[in-house]
Amino acid sequence: MDNINAHFLQACYDGNTTAIKEKYLGAVDINYCCPHNGHGLYLAATQGHEATVALLLENGAIDAIAMGSSTSALHMAVFKGFFNIVILILEKSHQLSVDIRTKSGETPLHS
């Protein structure tokens, strides 16, 4: 993974919306997925960073099963009880199916 993508994913994990806005929007693929850590939306959702999730979704982030994981950002937000993030993902993710399934076949309702 190159340096800019690593820093972008770290900013997502940390909830650093300022860095994402100023340094990474337009400079990286917002849906870049690291095989070991997942994509930015997944990382922000798993840490409960609502503003970061909203920013990523507004700029085209797509929720999908994260590589290196068997779950999506929606699965993790449900599992961790981040219901404001669940609502954001459901409202703003235009390509999301609420029936998105993990590798073992579970939907977010099973989380």
Side-chain angles (χ1 to χ4, degrees), residues 45-102:
T46 61
Q47 298 306 306
H49 298 305
E50 186 176 338
T52 304
V53 168
L55 176 67
L56 294 171
L57 288 169
E58 289 165 4
N59 284 278
I62 299 169
D63 193 16
I65 300 295
M67 293 170 61
S69 171
S70 62
T71 60
S72 69
L74 180 60
H75 284 92
M76 291 307 297
V78 170
F79 177 74
K80 291 191 168 192
F82 298 139
F83 298 115
N84 286 341
I85 291 176
V86 170
I87 292 166
L88 274 173
I89 293 171
L90 291 174
E91 287 180 345
K92 296 187 180 204
S93 186
H94 304 290
Q95 297 181 3
L96 175 73
S97 167
V98 293
D99 292 332
I100 189 170
R101 295 184 182 274
T102 64

Side-chain angles (χ1 to χ4, degrees), residues 10-77:
Q10 187 65 51
C12 292
Y13 181 85
D14 293 339
N16 190 343
T17 55
T18 300
I20 294 167
K21 285 180 194 175
E22 293 176 1
K23 296 180 183 178
Y24 305 114
L25 288 182
V28 299
D29 174 0
I30 202 156
N31 291 303
Y32 172 79
C33 189
C34 171
H36 305 290
N37 299 322
H39 50 79
L41 181 62
Y42 177 83
L43 294 172
T46 61
Q47 298 306 306
H49 298 305
E50 186 176 338
T52 304
V53 168
L55 176 67
L56 294 171
L57 288 169
E58 289 165 4
N59 284 278
I62 299 169
D63 193 16
I65 300 295
M67 293 170 61
S69 171
S70 62
T71 60
S72 69
L74 180 60
H75 284 92
M76 291 307 297

